[in-house]
Structure formats: structure tokens, C-alpha cells
Amino acid sequence: WPETVRVAVNVSAVQFATAGFVEIVTDALAASGLDPGRLELELTESVFMGDSESIDATFRSLKGLGVRLALDDFGTGYSSLSYLRSAPFDKIKVDKSFVETCTQKDQNSAKIIAAIIGLADALGMETTVEGVEAFDQLELVCAKGARLIQGWIYSKALPADEVLEKIASKEFH
């Protein structure tokens, strides 16, 4: 795949807390030959429910490898700004639940999206807005400052060979 493409992998809290997780990531990088900076591990806030010392050590080890970390589904569950103060995330992913209602009147979703993007910018993090499926949603999240957007408005999930065809034809760029 082109060097501009990152590989994002969802990691569960159980996987993250597993002894040897950093070694598994290290082995996967070695076996694949993928540059660590192209690997983005997507974690939910549930990773913070374990032992804080081991969590911090795992974060340090992963960042030492050069791996990128994304906080997925931000704004749902047990959101706490203290996670952003202490964890070395490179990206915040705005949960699709905010996008689903962002164009409806009397909803605060659009304001929340703008606030999360502003917060991420202030902390020097990227932001991806998830779940964009319609042009009015796309227009709104772009107006709120979104630069990275994920959703069916671009494509549903595809097999790797189809993705490679679309990259080769410059349909994906």
C-alpha cells in the first residue's frame, strides 16, 4: 500500500492489558515490515479501567516503538478529560453517535463535534469524525473544522484487492 496510507487496528481493553501486548505489536511490525509510524492503534476509554501504572508503561512502550495511538469513540462511555492529559494520544476519533444527529434542530451534537475538534487542535492531536453518511453531515463537520472524515459517504468496507484497485486508479487518494 502507498506509504501515505496508515493501517488502523482496533484494540480491545482486554488485548491492551494482556501481558506481552507490546511484544505482539513488535513482532507484527517486524513480520510485516510496516513502518511503526504507519500503524495506528485505536483504543477506547475502557483501556483506562485497569492498573494505571501498567497502562502508562504500555503507552510508553508503544510510543517508544513509534506507533500512533488513537482514542476511539470519544465522547461516549466514561469520557474524562484527564485521559487526554495523561495519555499520549495522536488522534481523537469523534463517535458517530454525534454525527447521526448533528444536522437536526435543537441538538447539541454539532456543538460537541466543534468542541472536540477544538480540544484536539489545542492539544496538537488529529481528529477523525466517524460515521459520516450524508452530504449535509459532511458539510457540517467540515464547517466545524474536521479534516479527517470516515464513513460510508466515501465507501463501505471493501476487500483489500478492491482497495488496491481504487488506489491504483486514483479513486482513493
Side-chain angles (χ1 to χ4, degrees), residues 13-95:
V14 172
Q15 290 172 312
F16 186 83
T18 299
F21 176 69
V22 175
E23 289 76 20
I24 292 169
V25 173
T26 303
D27 292 346
L29 288 168
S32 68
L34 183 69
D35 178 83
R38 290 180 58 202
L39 177 61
E40 189 168 270
L41 301 178
E42 295 187 4
L43 310 162
T44 63
E45 296 159 353
S46 58
V47 301
F48 293 102
M49 299 303 155
D51 172 47
S52 63
E53 286 185 29
S54 63
I55 292 166
D56 291 344
T58 301
F59 278 140
R60 281 192 304 276
S61 296
L62 291 170
K63 293 306 294 179
L65 293 175
V67 171
R68 294 177 50 85
L69 300 174
L71 181 55
D72 199 10
D73 301 333
F74 184 75
T76 62
Y78 304 102
S79 295
S80 172
L81 296 178
S82 65
Y83 300 152
L84 299 179
R85 183 179 55 202
S86 60
F89 288 105
D90 300 288
K91 177 187 283 185
I92 297 174
K93 296 188 76 176
V94 179
D95 189 69

Side-chain angles (χ1 to χ4, degrees), residues 94-143:
V94 179
D95 189 69
K96 67 181 180 178
S97 64
F98 297 110
V99 175
E100 291 169 352
T101 59
C102 71
T103 59
Q104 297 174 8
K105 298 254 188 263
D106 300 324
Q107 290 289 325
N108 284 321
S109 295
K111 294 173 188 171
I112 292 170
I113 291 169
I116 294 170
I117 292 169
L119 176 64
D121 286 348
L123 294 172
M125 298 179 190
E126 290 181 345
T127 310
T128 296
V129 178
E130 298 180 297
V132 178
E133 297 181 7
F135 287 107
D136 60 341
Q137 294 171 339
L138 178 64
E139 184 178 315
L140 185 138
V141 299
C142 287

